[in-house]
Amino acid sequence: MIFINYYSSVNALGNSIPDILKNLSDNHAPGMRESTHWLGSNKNAFYGNVLGELPVIADEFKRHNSRNNRLILAALLHDSDKFHSLVGKFSKNRVAVIMGTSTSGSNEANEYVNAVISKQQTPSDFQG
């Protein structure tokens, strides 16, 4: 049996649970943006984006610096005391961090594909 004791979220509806719930009830998704820059197509498409600054990954973890990890860190920082209390109560082996995303990494992949299409130098830090 699985019990969910706490959750946090950052998404196109907002960067905190109260903001997400308010925007959901107001039928407002501030992070849904129209763009034409995807994969060099120049066609309009809507995509969800987390707005605002994401936390910086410490230099000692720069190898793991990705948008996914900054999103996880943003969600964790909303109430890190609660997260740490759960780890203290149940041990780190019984606490899970689960992330779902559909577009994270898309900007980096888009830059890489556009560089290949235009025969420019590909980003050296791209890790597909």
Side-chain angles (χ1 to χ4, degrees), residues 41 43 63 65 73 81 86 90 99 110 112 115 122 125:
S41 69
K43 294 181 181 179
R63 180 172 169 235
N65 187 11
L73 185 56
D81 290 342
L86 289 171
F90 297 110
M99 179 181 179
N110 187 53
Y112 182 84
T122 57
D125 60 346

Side-chain angles (χ1 to χ4, degrees), residues 52-72:
E53 285 293 315
L54 293 176
V56 175
I57 301 291
D59 284 342
E60 64 186 289
F61 301 111
K62 69 180 177 182
R63 180 172 169 235
H64 303 287
N65 187 11
S66 68
R67 183 160 175 85
N68 276 349
N69 287 340
R70 290 190 309 271
L71 287 166
I72 290 170

Side-chain angles (χ1 to χ4, degrees), residues 67-88:
R67 183 160 175 85
N68 276 349
N69 287 340
R70 290 190 309 271
L71 287 166
I72 290 170
L73 185 56
L76 170 65
L77 291 176
H78 285 178
D79 195 353
S80 62
D81 290 342
K82 179 67 173 175
F83 178 77
H84 290 293
S85 74
L86 289 171
V87 170

